[in-house]
């Protein structure tokens, strides 16, 4: 795996702004075939990078680099691609902006057909947009614990963590508050009621919350806000979803607190070839995190394998 950058100074954002320079950092696994049609695309998610999907990739896995050319683009704002921490004139980028830039990258790489777009959370948001914006290019879509738009409850959740981040007296205090506030939404009531955080090595609830605080300290606060803006402005509607021709599996978690299963079901119903296969898990939104929980990860991988074999 090699990290590379696709750099352009001619890309105009949905807002009408043309930044002086945009850099899309990406990693690849495997080799593109002569037909340019063995690509698998894994768009990154909030606080994820190109390394985050590593648990899904390997020999004899559903995503086998001996068979597929796997491309993992870092979402704009995450500090690996262009972000406030990397450029003074950073402008907010939409989900559609990310997808258009990724399309330019894949075109430059020689990709003609994507066998599968798979993503968790904001990665799923980008996946829906890919399949709606470039239907002839996307053969299959696996959207895990993510919706095509940011629904109202999701907006309220994000306003809460954004306020925690921005109201604190210092960036470090803001990131600690952000992590602590976020933890309450990431898992389910059953996760906390049954103290499942102990299985992750945290002896007490307070220890678990402190770990969530620490986990966000390495991020730049303005990068977190930039990605949050992208998330909040996801707005793909039912009419756009109806344009999707990809064979699609929509896989929410039944206990996800903000990518709600009922809203995911409504979106799946708007997609002509969609199947609805929810995860049943106490791990809430985090049930879909790549490689984090064994049973959930096994179901996601088996679904990807079946989808690619269809």
């Amino acid at each position: 795996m090699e990290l590379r950058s696709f750099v352009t100074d001619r890309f105009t954002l949905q807002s009408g702004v043309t930044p002086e320079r945009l850099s899309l950092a990406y990693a690849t696994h495997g080799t593109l075939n002569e037909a340019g049609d063995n690509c698998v695309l894994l768009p990154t998610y909030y606080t994820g990078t190109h390394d985050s999907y590593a648990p899904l990739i390997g020999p004899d896995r559903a995503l086998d680099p001996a068979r597929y050319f796997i491309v993992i683009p870092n979402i704009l704002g995450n500090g690996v691609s262009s972000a406030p921490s990397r450029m003074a004139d950073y402008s907010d980028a939409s989900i559609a902006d990310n997808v258009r830039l990724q399309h330019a990258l894949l075109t430059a790489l020689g990709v003609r057909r994507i066998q599968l777009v798979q993503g968790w959370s904001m990665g799923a948001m980008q996946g829906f947009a890919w399949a709606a914006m470039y239907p002839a290019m996307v053969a299959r879509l696996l959207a895990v614990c993510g919706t095509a738009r940011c629904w109202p409850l999701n907006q309220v959740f994000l306003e809460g963590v954004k306020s925690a981040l921005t109201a604190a007296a210092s960036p470090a205090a803001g990131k600690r508050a952000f992590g602590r506030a976020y933890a309450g939404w990431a898992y389910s009531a059953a996760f906390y009621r049954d103290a499942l955080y102990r299985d992750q090595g945290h002896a007490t609830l307070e220890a678990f919350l402190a770990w969530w605080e620490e986990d966000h300290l390495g991020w730049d606060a303005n990068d977190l806000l930039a990605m949050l803006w992208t998330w909040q402005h996801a707005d793909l509607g039912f009419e756009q979803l109806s344009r999707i021709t990809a064979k699609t599996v929509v896989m929410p978690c039944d206990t996800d607190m903000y990518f709600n299963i009922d809203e995911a079901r409504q979106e799946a119903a708007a997609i002509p070839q969609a199947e609805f296969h929810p995860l049943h898990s106490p791990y809430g939104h985090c049930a879909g995190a790549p490689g984090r929980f064994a049973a959930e990860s096994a179901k996601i991988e088996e679904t990807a394998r079946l989808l690619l074999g269809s």
Side-chain angles (χ1 to χ4, degrees):
M1 185 273 290
E2 182 180 352
L3 183 64
R4 302 174 181 175
S5 289
F6 175 72
V7 179
T8 176
D9 57 3
R10 300 182 299 276
F11 188 85
T12 300
L13 299 169
Q14 203 170 19
S15 63
V17 174
T18 303
E20 184 175 326
R21 182 178 181 272
L22 273 181
S23 176
L24 176 62
Y26 68 99
T28 64
H29 300 256
T31 304
L32 185 66
N33 64 12
E34 188 174 346
D37 66 356
N38 67 329
C39 180
V40 169
L41 184 68
L42 304 175
T44 61
Y45 47 86
Y46 197 77
T47 68
T49 71
H50 54 281
D51 289 327
S52 301
Y53 284 116
L56 307 185
I57 301 166
D60 300 321
R61 304 291 301 274
L63 305 186
D64 186 343
R67 183 174 184 183
Y68 298 108
F69 179 56
I70 302 164
V71 182
I72 312 173
N74 285 273
I75 194 169
L76 293 170
N78 79 343
V80 185
S81 290
S82 289
S85 62
R86 292 174 58 88
M87 55 189 296
D89 67 338
Y90 182 84
S91 295
D92 288 322
S94 67
I95 292 289
D97 289 329
N98 277 275
V99 170
R100 288 191 300 112
L101 188 57
Q102 292 165 23
H103 180 266
L105 163 66
L106 294 192
T107 300
L109 292 174
V111 173
R112 298 184 181 91
R113 180 77 162 160
I114 302 172
Q115 291 302 318
L116 174 68
V117 182
Q118 178 176 335
W120 172 56
S121 193
M122 283 187 79
M125 284 182 147
Q126 293 164 80
F128 283 116
W130 254 105
M133 293 168 64
Y134 301 102
M137 195 170 180
V138 179
R140 300 168 185 83
L141 168 64
L142 175 53
V144 180
C145 297
T147 52
R149 59 172 288 204
C150 188
W151 289 73
L153 178 62
N154 204 336
Q155 293 278 357
V156 171
F157 151 61
L158 292 173
E159 283 299 315
V161 293
K162 180 168 66 176
S163 295
L165 182 62
T166 57
S170 70
K175 286 182 281 187
R176 287 188 180 278
F178 176 89
R180 186 171 284 258
Y182 206 131
W185 291 82
Y187 293 92
S188 72
F191 174 85
Y192 289 107
R193 183 173 60 247
D194 297 335
L196 297 182
Y197 47 81
R198 292 175 182 163
D199 297 337
Q200 298 179 323
H202 305 288
T204 65
L205 179 58
E206 178 55 33
F208 178 71
L209 293 174
W211 179 81
W212 266 77
E213 290 183 2
E214 296 290 334
D215 191 49
H216 290 85
L217 287 179
W219 285 89
D220 181 272
N222 288 319
D223 289 356
L224 291 172
L225 289 171
M227 290 184 288
L228 194 148
W229 187 98
T230 302
W231 181 347
Q232 281 195 301
H233 287 80
D235 61 354
L236 209 64
F238 293 140
E239 191 277 329
Q240 293 161 298
L241 291 174
S242 71
R243 302 174 195 165
I244 293 176
T245 58
K247 185 171 178 59
T248 299
V249 173
V250 177
M251 183 174 277
C253 178
D254 58 352
T255 58
D256 196 322
M257 298 282 282
Y258 47 91
F259 283 110
N260 179 268
I261 188 172
D262 292 328
E263 291 159 355
R265 184 182 288 107
Q266 291 181 50
E267 292 184 351
I271 300 171
Q273 293 194 75
E275 297 180 8
F276 190 72
H277 296 301
L279 292 167
H280 301 287
S281 169
Y283 296 116
H285 183 65
C286 290
R292 191 172 302 179
F293 300 108
E296 290 78 1
S297 294
K299 180 171 182 179
I300 293 166
E301 175 154 19
E302 182 61 20
T303 301
R305 193 183 300 276
L306 291 171
L307 193 52
L308 282 164
S310 64

